[in-house]
C-alpha cells in the first residue's frame, strides 16, 4: 500500500467512526410518506427492468404518485431506464418544461445558452415553494458570499447570510454522448424531487436548490440517439459509432474547462458564475458500477483550496457509506483518476470556489439490456472496494439509472443536512481567494503593455474574462520587485524577460548567483494589464498562468491527462508572476472589454502590418482577398517602428477596408506613401483542403474550430474524397491533415470491410447525423489510391501539412525523403510544455517568431534529418558521451595503433541532433542516394537542449527528444510536406504555435524563401 493510501485509509476510518452515531440516531430516514400513494405501474416496471434486487435501493424502489405532475413516462412512453428508450435532447427538455408547468412553485427552467449547432441548453431548478419563490433574493445573498469584498470580509455578516441562505447543487449529465444513461436518470430525479413527500426528499427540497442540466452535449446526444435508433432498426448488424459528438470535438469536451472554447463550456461557466453554485456534479459512465472519481487518487491540482479537497473526502465518504449500507456492489471512491488538470468540466466548480464532483457509472452505450463480463481487475476486491462489482451480470440502463439516482439522492441529502457547513466553506474559499496576495501569493500577474504580440495578449486576457476573472489596466507606469531568476544551462540570462519571475523550481544558488543581488526592480509601462489576485476568482487565473511541475518520482505513474499547460507560454505572451504586494497599489482601472489599438496609423496608399505570429494574419489575407499582398523576407524599419520578417505590405485596397478588417481581427496597420525597400514575395489567398478520416475526428476538431473562429475558409474533405480525386492540385493549394489518433496503416485501410456498410447520412431515421460530412459507408480509408493522389499533389507543387501521427503517415509512405520519424521509446511526457528553439528564422514558417517558442508535446515524435536517402539522420546529441574507440590513453586522447607511425585523422564535423551530416566525397562517388541540395529537409524549429527542455509538466528521459527537429519543411519535387513532431493546435490552448501552421499555408508557394543551400 502506498503511503498516501494508508493516510487516506486512516482518514476514512476516522470519518466512519465519527459519523456512525448520527446514522443510528435516525433509523428510518429513507422511509417514504405512507400517506402518499405509489405509482404502482411505474414501480412495477422499475423492478422488472432492474436485473438484481441489490442493484436497487430503498430510495428508488418505488415511485411516488402525483395526480397533477406527469412522470417521465409522459415523454418516454415507459419508465426512465427502460430498454430501448433513449430520448432526444428536445424530448428531455420537453419533459422538464412539463414538470415546470405542472409544478411551477417547485420547478423553474432556465435557458442557459445554445450549442454550436443552435440546440438549446437548459438548467432546471427544483426547491420547495418558499425557497423557489425567493430564488433571486437567495442568489443575491450567495453573490455576497461569493465576493466577500462586498461585505468587507466580515465573518459575522457572512454567518448571518449563511443562516439565511440555501446552497445550490448543480448536476449536469450527458457530456459524453455514448454515456447514455444520465438524461433519463435526471428526468426521474427531477420528478422525485418535485413530488415525493417523504421526509428524506422534503429535507432536500427545503435545504438545497437542486439545479439540473440533463444534457450538456446537446448536439452529441442527438447524434448518439440517431445511431442507437439505427442499431434498433438493424439489430443484427454492426452499427456506426458517433464519429462526431459536438460540432468540433468528442471526448475532449471534458477537457475544455481551461480555455473555455466550446459553447457548452462557456454556457456552464456563465451559469455557475451567475447562480453562484456551490457544487458542479458531472455524470459519466465507464467503470462498474459507481465510481466517485473526485476523490480518486493524487496528485490533486496544486491551486485548489485545501478546504475543497476536504469537501471531496466528506462527500465521497458519505456517498460510499450510504451505498455500502444499501448493499449495492461496486460503489467506490478511490481509484486511478488524478485530479491534477483543471481541464475537466467539473473543475469550473472547483476553480470558482465551489466543489467539483464526478460519477462514473456503468453504461451499455445505449439502452439494450445485455450480459456484461468484467475484467479481473474490475471485479477484484481492493481496500477501497470491499463489495466489488460482479464478474458478470445482466446489466440494464435501469440498473445504471438506479445507481445514478441513489448516489445523487444520498449526496443531495448529505449536502442538505450540512448546508450551513458547505455554504460557510464556500464563503471561506472565496475569502481565501481574495486574501491570496497576503497569504500564499502571488499578488498579481502582469501583462506588459510593450508585449510584442498584442493580439495574442488580448486573446489570453479574453480567456481569463471568459472565466470571470477581473482584469485591470495600469493608468500610469509602475515598478515592482522581482526575484532574480537563475539562468538554466543552455539559456542566456535575460533571454526571455517574460520568465523573469517564473517559479521554475528553486534550485540552490551556485557560487556565481550568490554574488548577484537576489531581487531586481522591473518597470512596467502605463497600459500594462494587471490580474489582481485579491479577487474572488484569483484561483483560476493562478492555475492557468502559473507553471506546473510533475515529479518523475511521483507515486502516480499514469497521469490521467496533460501535466503542463502554462497559458502565457502556450500563447507566446509575456506573463510576469509578481509576489511584491506593492503591485496592487499601482494606479489602475477595471477593464471590461480587452481591445488592442487598431486605428490605421499614418496616411498613404501602402499598408504595413507587422508579423508577430498572430493567427489572425492569415485571416486578414482572406478578408482583403482582392488586395495585393507582399510579404517581406527580411526585417525592415518603416512608419517609425520595426517590422519582422513576414510582415505584410498591402496595396490596391481602401483604407476603410483595412480599418474594418483590422478592427475585427485585432490587427494594427500602418499607412505609408511607398513600400519599404526590402526583398518580398507575393502571397495569394490559398485554396485549403482540410482532410479528416472516418476513424476519429477529435484531434482535427480542435484545428477546425480555430479555422472557423478565425474565418479561414477551407473545404472539409474525408480521406475517401482524397481517394476519389486524382487531381487534387486542381482544387487545392494546401492540404491540411491534422492528427488522427491512429496509425499510418489504419489511415490507409480504414475500418474492416467485413460485415455491413456503416452509413453516416441524414435520413428520416437519423436526422442529426451526416451534416458536417457524410458517406454511404464509413469503413473505407484513404486506400493506396489516396496515397498516390496525395503524393502526386505534393509533387505537382502542393503543400501537405501534417502533425504527429500524420507526420508518421507521410513518412511511412515515402513523402518525406531525408526525414526519419519514430515514436519515442523512453521519453515520458504525457502532455508537457517544452521549450523549442528556432533553427532557421528565414523560413517563412518561422515568420514572426523569436528565438524561443514553447510547444505542447505529448510526447512528440523523435525526428532526424539526413542528406541521403535511408539515413537515420541527426547528430548524436549533446549528451551522447565520448565517441573514441577502445585503445590506449585517456578518454580525451587519440588511439595509437602499434607498429606504424601515428596518423592524425581529419577532424569530423560536429553535427547537432537537429542537423544532417554534411555529404561526403565518398557518398558523392555515386550520388544516387544523395538528396540534391534544394530537395533536402529544412529544419525550422527544434526541441530545446535537455537542460532547458521542460517548461511545465512531467518530463522524464527528455534527452531522447532534446535538440531533435520539431518542425521540418521537406521538399518533394515541386511541393513540400511540412511535418510537425508535436501538435501545434491543441484544445484552444496553444495559440502561440498556430502561426507556424498558418505561415506555412500563406507562403505555400514560397516556402523556399530565405533558404541557404548546401554547396554539395
Ligand atoms: Zn465520460
Amino acid at each position: 500500500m502506498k503511503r498516501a493510501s494508508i493516510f487516506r485509509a486512516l482518514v476514512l476510518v476516522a470519518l466512519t467512526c465519527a459519523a456512525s452515531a448520527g446514522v443510528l440516531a435516525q433509523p428510518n430516514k429513507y422511509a417514504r410518506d405512507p400517506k402518499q400513494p405509489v405509482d404502482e405501474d411505474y414501480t412495477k416496471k422499475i423492478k422488472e427492468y432492474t436485473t438484481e434486487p441489490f442493484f436497487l435501493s430503498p430510495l428508488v424502489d418505488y415511485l411516488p404518485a402525483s395526480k397533477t405532475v406527469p412522470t417521465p413516462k409522459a415523454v418516454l412512453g415507459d419508465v426512465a431506464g427502460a430498454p430501448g428508450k433513449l430520448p432526444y435532447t428536445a424530448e428531455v427538455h420537453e419533459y422538464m418544461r412539463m414538470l415546470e408547468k405542472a409544478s411551477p412553485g417547485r420547478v423553474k427552467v432556465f435557458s442557459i445558452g445554445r450549442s454550436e449547432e443552435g440546440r438549446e441548453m437548459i438548467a432546471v431548478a427544483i426547491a420547495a415553494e418558499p425557497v423557489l419563490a425567493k430564488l433571486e433574493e437567495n442568489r443575491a445573498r450567495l453573490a455576497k458570499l461569493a465576493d466577500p469584498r462586498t461585505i468587507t470580509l466580515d465573518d459575522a455578516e457572512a454567518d448571518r447570510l449563511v443562516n439565511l441562505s440555501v446552497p445550490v447543487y448543480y448536476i449536469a449529465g450527458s457530456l459524453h454522448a455514448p454515456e447514455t444513461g444520465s438524461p433519463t436518470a435526471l428526468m426521474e430525479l427531477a420528478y422525485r424531487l418535485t413530488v415525493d413527500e417523504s421526509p428524506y426528499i422534503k429535507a432536500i427540497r427545503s435545504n438545497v436548490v437542486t439545479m439540473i442540466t440533463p444534457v450538456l452535449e446537446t448536439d452529441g446526444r442527438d447524434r448518439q440517439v440517431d445511431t442507437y435508433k439505427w442499431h434498433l432498426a438493424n439489430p443484427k448488424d454492426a452499427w456506426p459509432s458517433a464519429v462526431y459528438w459536438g460540432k468540433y470535438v468528442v471526448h475532449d469536451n471534458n477537457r475544455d474547462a481551461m480555455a473555455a472554447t466550446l459553447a457548452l463550456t462557456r454556457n456552464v461557466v456563465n451559469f455557475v458564475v451567475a447562480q453562484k453554485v456551490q457544487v458542479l456534479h458531472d455524470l459519466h459512465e465507464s467503470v462498474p458500477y459507481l465510481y466517485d472519481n473526485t476523490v480518486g487518487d493524487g496528485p490533486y491540482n496544486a491551486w485548489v483550496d485545501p478546504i475543497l479537497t476536504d469537501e471531496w473526502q466528506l462527500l465521497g465518504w458519505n456517498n460510499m457509506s450510504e451505498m455500502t449500507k444499501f448493499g449495492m456492489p461496486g460503489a467506490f471512491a478511490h481509484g486511478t483518476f488524478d485530479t491534477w488538470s483543471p481541464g475537466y468540466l467539473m473543475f469550473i466548480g472547483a476553480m470558482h470556489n465551489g466543489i467539483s464532483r464526478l460519477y462514473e457509472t456503468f453504461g451499455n452505450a445505449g439502452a439494450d439490456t445485455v450480459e456484461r463480463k468484467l475484467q479481473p481487475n474490475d471485479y477484484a476486491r481492493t481496500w477501497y472496494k470491499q463489495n466489488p462489482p460482479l464478474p458478470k451480470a445482466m446489466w440494464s440502463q435501469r440498473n445504471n439509472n438506479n445507481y445514478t439516482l441513489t448516489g445523487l439522492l444520498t449526496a443531495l441529502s448529505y449536502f442538505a443536512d450540512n448546508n450551513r457547513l458547505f455554504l460557510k466553506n464556500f464563503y471561506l474559499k472565496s475569502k481565501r481567494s481574495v486574501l491570496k496576495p497576503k497569504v500564499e501569493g502571488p499578488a498579481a500577474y502582469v501583462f506588459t503593455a510593450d508585449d510584442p504580440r498584442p493580439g495574442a495578449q488580448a486573446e489570453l486576457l479574453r480567456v481569463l474574462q471568459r472565466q470571470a476573472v477581473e482584469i485591470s489596466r495600469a493608468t500610469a507606469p509602475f515598478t515592482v520587485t522581482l526575484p532574480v531568476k537563475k539562468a538554466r544551462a543552455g539559456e542566456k540570462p535575460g533571454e526571455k524577460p517574460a520568465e523573469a519571475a517564473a517559479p521554475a523550481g528553486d534550485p540552490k544558488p551556485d557560487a556565481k548567483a550568490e554574488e548577484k543581488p537576489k531581487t531586481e526592480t522591473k518597470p512596467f509601462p502605463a497600459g500594462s494589464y494587471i490580474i489582481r489576485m485579491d479577487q474572488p476568482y484569483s484561483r483560476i487565473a493562478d492555475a492557468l498562468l502559473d507553471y506546473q511541475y510533475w515529479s518523475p518520482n511521483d507515486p502516480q505513474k499514469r497521469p490521467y491527462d496533460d501535466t503542463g499547460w502554462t497559458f502565457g507560454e502556450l500563447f507566446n505572451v509575456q506573463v510576469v508572476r509578481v509576489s511584491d504586494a506593492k503591485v496592487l497599489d499601482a494606479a489602475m482601472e477595471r477593464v471590461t472589454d480587452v481591445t488592442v489599438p487598431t486605428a490605421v496609423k499614418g496616411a498613404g496608399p501602402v499598408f504595413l502590418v507587422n508579423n508577430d505570429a498572430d493567427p489572425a494574419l492569415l485571416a486578414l489575407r482572406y478578408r482583403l482577398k482582392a488586395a495585393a499582398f507582399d510579404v517581406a523576407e527580411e526585417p525592415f524599419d518603416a512608419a517609425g517602428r520595426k517590422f519582422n520578417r513576414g510582415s505584410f505590405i498591402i496595396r490596391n485596397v481602401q483604407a476603410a477596408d483595412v480599418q474594418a478588417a483590422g478592427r475585427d481581427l485585432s490587427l494594427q496597420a500602418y499607412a505609408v506613401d511607398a513600400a519599404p525597400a526590402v526583398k518580398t514575395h507575393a502571397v495569394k489567398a490559398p485554396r485549403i483542403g482540410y482532410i479528416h478520416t472516418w476513424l476519429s475526428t477529435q484531434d482535427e476538431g480542435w484545428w477546425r474550430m480555430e479555422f472557423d473562429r478565425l474565418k479561414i475558409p477551407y473545404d472539409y474533405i474525408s480521406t475517401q474524397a482524397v481517394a476519389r480525386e486524382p487531381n487534387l492540385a486542381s482544387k487545392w493549394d494546401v492540404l491540411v491533415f491534422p492528427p488522427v489518433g491512429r496509425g499510418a496503416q489504419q489511415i490507409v485501410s480504414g475500418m474492416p470491410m467485413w460485415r455491413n456498410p456503416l452509413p453516416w447520412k441524414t435520413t428520416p431515421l437519423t436526422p442529426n447525423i451526416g451534416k458536417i460530412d457524410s458517406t454511404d459507408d464509413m469503413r473505407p480509408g484513404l486506400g493506396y489510391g489516396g496515397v498516390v493522389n496525395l503524393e502526386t499533389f505534393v509533387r505537382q507543387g502542393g503543400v501537405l501539412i501534417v502533425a504527429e501521427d500524420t507526420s508518421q503517415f507521410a513518412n511511412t509512405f515515402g513523402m518525406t525523403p531525408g526525414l526519419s520519424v519514430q515514436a519515442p521509446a523512453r521519453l515520458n511526457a504525457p502532455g508537457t510544455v517544452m521549450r523549442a528553439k528556432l533553427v532557421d528564422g528565414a523560413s517563412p514558417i518561422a515568420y514572426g517568431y523569436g528565438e524561443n517558442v514553447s510547444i505542447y508535446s505529448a510526447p512528440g515524435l523523435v525526428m532526424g534529418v539526413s542528406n541521403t536517402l535511408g539515413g537515420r539522420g541527426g547528430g548524436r546529441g549533446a549528451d551522447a558521451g565520448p565517441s573514441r574507440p577502445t585503445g590506449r590513453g585517456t578518454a580525451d586522447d587519440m588511439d595509437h595503433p602499434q607498429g606504424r607511425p601515428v596518423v592524425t585523422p581529419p577532424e569530423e564535423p560536429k553535427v547537432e541532433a537537429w542537423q544532417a551530416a554534411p555529404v561526403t566525397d565518398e557518398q558523392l562517388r555515386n550520388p544516387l542516394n544523395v538528396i540534391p541540395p534544394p530537395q533536402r529537409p529544412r529544419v525550422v524549429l527544434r526541441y530545446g537542449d535537455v537542460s532547458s527542455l521542460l517548461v511545465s509538466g512531467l518530463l522524464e528521459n527528455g534527452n531522447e527528444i532534446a535538440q531533435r527537429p520539431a518542425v521540418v519543411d521537406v521538399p518533394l519535387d515541386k511541393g513540400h510536406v511540412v511535418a510537425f513532431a508535436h501538435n501545434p493546435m491543441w484544445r484552444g490552448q496553444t495559440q502561440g504555435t498556430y502561426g507556424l501552421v498558418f505561415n506555412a499555408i500563406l507562403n505555400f508557394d514560397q516556402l523556399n524563401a530565405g533558404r541557404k543551400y548546401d554547396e554539395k
Side-chain angles (χ1 to χ4, degrees):
M1 191 187 272
K2 290 179 291 182
R3 227 182 55 203
S5 308
I6 293 169
F7 169 73
R8 273 184 221 130
L10 291 173
V11 169
L12 212 62
V13 168
L15 288 171
T16 310
C17 297
S20 48
V23 171
L24 289 175
Q26 34 175 315
N28 296 321
K29 69 182 205 172
Y30 315 118
R32 65 178 195 84
D33 174 14
K35 295 199 290 294
Q36 185 171 27
V38 166
D39 184 326
E40 297 294 351
D41 273 1
Y42 199 106
T43 302
K44 198 169 136 260
K45 289 287 182 190
I46 290 174
K47 290 184 171 155
E48 182 186 332
Y49 299 147
T50 300
T51 60
E52 296 284 355
F54 45 74
F55 294 147
L56 205 48
S57 75
L59 294 175
V60 291
D61 66 359
Y62 72 96
L63 193 84
S66 165
K67 285 205 176 70
T68 51
V69 181
T71 71
K73 220 170 168 179
V75 163
L76 299 172
D78 204 334
V79 309
K85 298 283 178 191
L86 283 191
Y88 282 112
T89 302
E91 295 173 292
V92 179
H93 292 183
E94 182 196 350
Y95 176 68
M96 295 302 193
R97 289 200 157 104
M98 286 166 79
L99 268 188
E100 182 186 38
K101 201 169 169 210
S103 190
R106 290 183 179 179
V107 182
K108 182 174 165 58
V109 176
F110 296 84
S111 188
I112 67 167
R114 291 194 176 265
S115 71
E116 278 82 1
E117 294 181 354
R119 289 180 182 82
E120 187 190 22
M121 288 172 68
I122 64 165
V124 186
I126 304 169
E129 287 86 347
V131 177
L132 202 70
K134 301 211 161 158
L135 199 59
E136 189 48 38
E137 287 96 317
N138 191 59
R139 198 185 69 88
R141 284 190 298 270
L142 296 182
K144 288 183 183 171
L145 296 172
D147 187 353
R149 295 172 303 182
T150 58
I151 53 169
T152 61
L153 278 58
D154 179 348
D155 292 350
E157 174 62 7
D159 286 337
R160 193 186 71 82
L161 292 165
V162 163
N163 286 330
L164 292 170
S165 303
V166 179
V168 178
Y169 195 111
Y170 179 32
I171 302 162
S174 201
L175 179 61
H176 284 161
E179 300 162 19
T180 51
S182 51
T184 49
L186 293 174
M187 288 162 77
E188 190 176 300
L189 178 72
Y191 175 84
R192 289 177 180 279
L193 290 176
T194 305
V195 308
D196 197 329
E197 297 300 337
S198 69
Y200 191 83
I201 300 291
K202 274 168 92 170
I204 295 173
R205 211 160 42 225
S206 300
N207 295 308
V208 56
V209 179
T210 305
M211 295 205 183
I212 299 171
T213 289
V215 184
L216 285 163
E217 177 57 274
T218 52
D219 301 337
R221 172 69 182 186
D222 287 358
R223 280 192 259 279
Q224 181 70 27
V225 175
D226 275 6
T227 63
Y228 184 65
K229 295 224 149 123
W230 194 95
H231 157 66
L232 290 180
N234 303 273
K236 294 217 166 77
D237 286 344
W239 68 92
S241 67
V243 65
Y244 297 93
W245 299 1
K247 185 173 182 186
Y248 295 115
V249 294
V250 291
H251 193 268
D252 262 10
N253 60 13
N254 197 26
R255 301 293 185 276
D256 187 46
M258 286 194 263
T261 56
L262 302 174
L264 74 88
T265 316
R266 292 185 191 188
N267 294 338
V268 171
V269 176
N270 292 342
F271 186 71
V272 164
V273 169
Q275 296 297 325
K276 313 296 173 199
V277 312
Q278 279 65 56
V279 183
L280 171 53
H281 189 151
D282 187 20
L283 300 176
H284 290 256
E285 292 164 25
S286 60
V287 296
Y289 297 124
L290 188 147
Y291 172 27
D292 172 11
N293 86 350
T294 333
V295 178
D297 198 353
Y300 285 171
N301 179 276
W303 292 266
V304 298
D305 192 310
I307 291 175
L308 171 61
T309 66
D310 178 53
E311 291 173 320
W312 288 339
Q313 309 290 340
L314 276 174
L315 287 158
W317 155 74
N318 179 265
N319 248 191
M320 294 314 119
S321 174
E322 295 294 88
M323 296 186 79
T324 300
K325 276 180 284 176
F326 294 147
M328 298 176 89
F332 62 104
H334 296 270
T336 54
F337 176 81
D338 68 69
T339 304
W340 175 248
S341 162
Y344 311 106
L345 183 115
M346 62 169 169
F347 248 72
I348 293 167
M351 285 289 142
H352 295 87
N353 299 322
I355 300 171
S356 56
R357 297 199 75 203
L358 193 149
Y359 284 166
E360 299 279 3
T361 59
F362 196 44
N364 291 344
D368 293 0
T369 301
V370 289
E371 186 177 72
R372 298 293 301 272
K373 288 189 176 133
L374 306 184
Q375 295 297 311
N377 61 342
D378 279 330
Y379 62 75
R381 184 162 68 144
T382 62
W383 66 270
Y384 56 81
K385 232 191 262 184
Q386 288 296 331
N387 181 1
L390 279 60
K392 66 173 184 176
M394 285 301 287
W395 192 254
S396 66
Q397 170 127 305
R398 182 65 217 186
N399 292 355
N400 182 18
N401 281 187
N402 289 341
Y403 270 77
T404 304
L405 282 162
T406 302
L408 288 174
L409 285 169
T410 56
L412 287 168
S413 172
Y414 182 73
F415 196 76
D417 288 351
N418 295 281
N419 63 356
R420 303 268 181 272
L421 167 78
F422 288 109
L423 265 182
K424 183 68 185 286
N425 279 356
F426 177 67
Y427 163 74
L428 286 176
K429 287 182 286 181
S430 303
K431 177 178 149 187
R432 284 154 61 136
S433 292
V434 172
L435 291 173
K436 208 172 213 312
K438 291 200 177 109
V439 186
E440 70 267 31
Y445 285 88
V446 178
F447 292 52
T448 182
D450 54 15
D451 194 294
R453 302 175 212 285
Q457 183 188 68
E459 268 308 308
L460 178 49
L461 289 165
R462 287 180 199 127
V463 169
L464 295 173
Q465 281 193 313
R466 291 205 287 273
Q467 295 283 4
V469 172
E470 296 169 1
I471 294 168
S472 303
R473 198 166 193 198
T475 51
F478 63 99
T479 301
V480 299
T481 304
L482 298 175
V484 175
K485 190 198 166 202
K486 180 178 171 279
R488 286 190 282 185
E491 262 182 7
K492 284 178 248 145
E495 190 175 61
K496 206 173 173 206
E499 293 177 344
D506 190 18
K508 273 182 235 123
D510 58 24
K512 264 191 191 163
E514 272 172 25
E515 292 162 18
K516 291 183 191 159
K518 290 204 170 62
T519 60
E520 61 183 0
T521 54
K522 184 167 171 59
F524 288 98
S528 295
Y529 288 98
I530 300 169
I531 313 296
R532 302 178 63 102
M533 290 291 106
D534 56 352
Q535 59 169 304
Y537 300 143
S538 60
R539 218 161 278 286
I540 178 67
D542 197 17
L544 295 182
L545 300 174
D546 205 349
Y547 286 70
Q548 293 78 45
Y549 182 73
W550 182 307
S551 167
N553 300 320
D554 194 280
Q556 176 65 267
K557 292 301 174 201
R558 299 184 61 187
Y560 200 82
D561 204 71
D562 289 344
T563 54
W565 53 79
T566 310
F567 269 43
E569 296 282 353
L570 291 179
F571 278 66
N572 206 1
V573 169
Q574 297 180 19
V575 178
V576 182
R577 184 180 195 266
V578 180
S579 296
D580 177 5
K582 236 179 67 200
V583 66
L584 301 174
D585 300 331
M588 65 180 92
E589 59 191 13
R590 275 284 296 282
V591 176
T592 51
D593 205 10
V594 179
T595 55
V596 298
T598 56
V600 175
K601 286 196 177 155
V606 179
F607 299 91
L608 310 175
V609 178
N610 183 42
N611 192 330
D612 57 3
D614 193 313
L617 288 165
L618 178 59
L620 183 67
R621 182 65 194 93
Y622 291 97
R623 177 73 186 257
L624 303 176
K625 210 168 173 183
F629 271 60
D630 288 306
V631 162
E633 294 185 8
E634 292 299 332
F636 62 88
D637 290 316
R641 59 158 292 158
K642 291 196 179 310
F643 287 82
N644 296 326
R645 275 200 191 99
S647 295
F648 292 168
I649 300 162
I650 310 170
R651 277 173 281 222
N652 302 337
V653 64
Q654 297 300 313
D657 293 340
V658 175
Q659 179 61 71
R663 190 184 54 235
D664 293 351
L665 298 170
S666 293
L667 293 171
Q668 167 105 65
Y670 297 81
V672 290
D673 285 328
V678 62
K679 189 163 190 287
T680 62
H681 60 253
V683 290
K684 52 190 178 196
R687 301 167 302 162
I688 302 172
Y690 182 111
I691 305 172
H692 75 89
T693 67
W694 288 104
L695 298 165
S696 166
T697 63
Q698 170 152 291
D699 290 353
E700 67 91 4
W702 289 120
W703 291 49
R704 183 158 42 91
M705 178 184 75
E706 296 298 52
F707 277 64
D708 285 355
R709 178 174 67 87
L710 292 156
K711 297 193 173 67
I712 294 164
Y714 60 90
D715 294 323
Y716 188 59
I717 53 174
S718 74
T719 45
Q720 294 175 359
V722 172
R724 283 193 300 268
E725 178 51 69
N727 191 2
L728 294 163
S730 68
K731 293 187 168 161
W732 299 291
D733 302 310
V734 180
L735 291 175
V736 179
F737 195 2
V740 175
R742 300 287 191 278
Q745 281 82 3
Q746 210 186 343
I747 290 171
V748 173
S749 62
M751 297 177 207
M753 291 302 290
W754 53 63
R755 302 188 195 275
N756 49 287
L758 300 175
W760 188 263
K761 291 188 80 160
T762 311
T763 67
L765 181 68
T766 56
N768 300 291
I769 67 174
K771 308 270 194 208
I772 301 172
D773 197 359
S774 67
T775 178
D776 290 330
D777 188 358
M778 295 163 73
R779 294 173 303 162
L782 180 64
Y784 287 96
V787 174
V788 171
N789 293 346
L790 276 181
E791 185 184 329
T792 305
F793 164 79
V794 178
R795 287 192 181 278
Q796 288 174 346
V799 167
L800 174 65
I801 298 174
V802 285
E804 289 187 329
D805 52 57
T806 53
S807 292
Q808 223 158 2
F809 156 82
N811 182 256
T812 301
F813 291 98
M815 291 180 227
T816 55
L819 181 72
S820 68
V821 169
Q822 57 187 5
R826 302 179 314 280
L827 173 68
N828 186 15
T832 301
V833 186
M834 294 195 214
R835 176 83 63 243
K837 297 263 177 190
L838 215 55
V839 174
D840 190 343
S843 162
I845 297 168
Y847 285 163
Y849 284 93
E851 192 187 335
N852 292 297
V853 185
S854 291
I855 60 176
Y856 166 83
S857 195
L861 296 170
V862 179
M863 287 181 167
V865 289
S866 169
N867 291 333
T868 60
L869 276 192
R872 163 81 200 282
R876 286 156 36 85
D879 302 311
S883 62
R884 62 151 290 181
T886 307
R888 69 148 289 277
T890 68
D892 303 324
D893 285 336
M894 198 178 90
D895 192 21
H896 289 181
Q898 306 297 299
R900 65 161 168 81
V902 172
V903 177
T904 306
E907 187 140 357
E908 290 295 324
K910 179 161 169 50
V911 181
E912 304 285 3
W914 65 89
Q915 293 173 329
V919 169
T920 64
D921 291 338
E922 284 289 315
Q923 289 169 327
L924 285 167
R925 284 173 58 211
N926 180 351
L928 176 65
N929 285 324
V930 176
I931 305 170
Q935 293 285 310
R936 290 177 187 167
R938 182 185 192 184
V939 177
V940 179
L941 195 72
R942 68 167 174 89
Y943 281 88
D945 304 339
V946 71
S947 57
S948 58
L949 185 58
L950 174 63
V951 175
S952 265
L954 168 60
L955 180 65
E956 201 175 6
N957 299 322
N959 55 342
E960 194 179 6
I961 205 164
Q963 301 189 329
R964 290 279 168 184
V967 182
V968 188
D969 168 11
V970 190
L972 181 67
D973 221 333
K974 298 196 185 75
H976 296 253
V977 174
V978 177
F980 288 77
H982 59 104
N983 186 347
M985 299 183 79
W986 178 245
R987 294 179 175 172
Q989 297 172 188
T990 61
Q991 301 203 15
T993 50
Y994 294 178
L996 297 164
V997 176
F998 292 171
N999 278 336
I1001 292 174
L1002 185 62
N1003 297 279
F1004 76 96
D1005 56 354
Q1006 297 289 338
L1007 286 180
N1008 288 331
R1011 173 147 202 195
K1012 290 193 180 69
Y1013 297 111
D1014 297 337
E1015 277 172 25
K1016 59 180 186 185

